[in-house]
Amino acid sequence: MQITSEALERAIEELSRLPGTGRKSARRMAMYLLKQQPEKVFSLTEALVELKRSVHRCSTCGTVTDQDPCVICSNPKRSGSELCVVEEFQDVYYIEKTNEFRGRYHVLGGVISPMQNVGPDELRIRELIDRVNAPLAEGESVREVILALNPDAEGEATSYYIHKLLKPFDVEVTRIAYGIPMGSELEYIDEATLSRAFASRNLI
Ligand SMILES: [Zn+2]
């Protein structure tokens, strides 16, 4: 086969690296983009460049943000005495969608996984302990840490590890559990189930 456009092949190559995109759909996307007005394609590429340029991690909670601290950490209406611990920044989005939680978050950046060589030091666990330990600006302190990690073996082990570390502190440790099937990720749980899981969280 002879390739008539190296530029088109390169675009297909790049697009096929996106998750869930095989070469066939990458080719379809590249063809679609090729047929669009140049402004539309430039607007897409600008949005992607901006994504990498402006989006960074909140230095307090670790979620993705355009400003530091993020809108949740800097919102005085959000209670700093409730901290919800999640694995990844996208979990903040899924929990926010339920409108169930009015506290703040702490993103670990993963879970403890000996198989993948991820130990506690690779995660933002030290930062979590520091947050629990430090008095809040409003004179409050963290009263409840809600563990909302995925209910798989690694999420369970990480929850247990954090629970142990938090024992010396005067803080309630709860876990969302009700109705969430074992092994499922927050991403795939419908809003109503996640909402119920939050409302009926248990002390551990
Ligand atoms: Zn934040």
Side-chain angles (χ1 to χ4, degrees), residues 51-52 55-58 61-65 70 72 84-97 105-111 124 148-150 186-187:
L51 176 75
K52 283 309 283 181
V55 179
H56 47 261
R57 297 303 183 106
C58 171
C61 72
T63 196
V64 287
T65 176
C70 72
I72 295 176
C84 177
V85 179
V86 293
E87 287 181 30
E88 298 290 355
F89 63 82
Q90 57 267 36
D91 297 330
V92 171
Y93 170 78
Y94 303 124
I95 293 172
E96 279 299 288
K97 266 206 329 193
Y105 293 93
H106 190 88
V107 180
L108 291 179
V111 277
R124 299 180 67 254
L149 307 182
N150 291 323
L186 294 195
E187 182 179 356

Side-chain angles (χ1 to χ4, degrees), residues 106-142:
H106 190 88
V107 180
L108 291 179
V111 277
I112 298 169
S113 169
M115 300 281 282
Q116 319 247 359
N117 278 327
V118 181
D121 293 344
E122 273 74 48
L123 306 170
R124 299 180 67 254
I125 293 179
R126 174 50 41 204
E127 288 87 339
L128 171 66
I129 305 299
D130 289 347
R131 282 181 84 183
V132 171
N133 210 6
L136 301 169
E138 311 88 64
E140 286 181 292
S141 56
V142 176

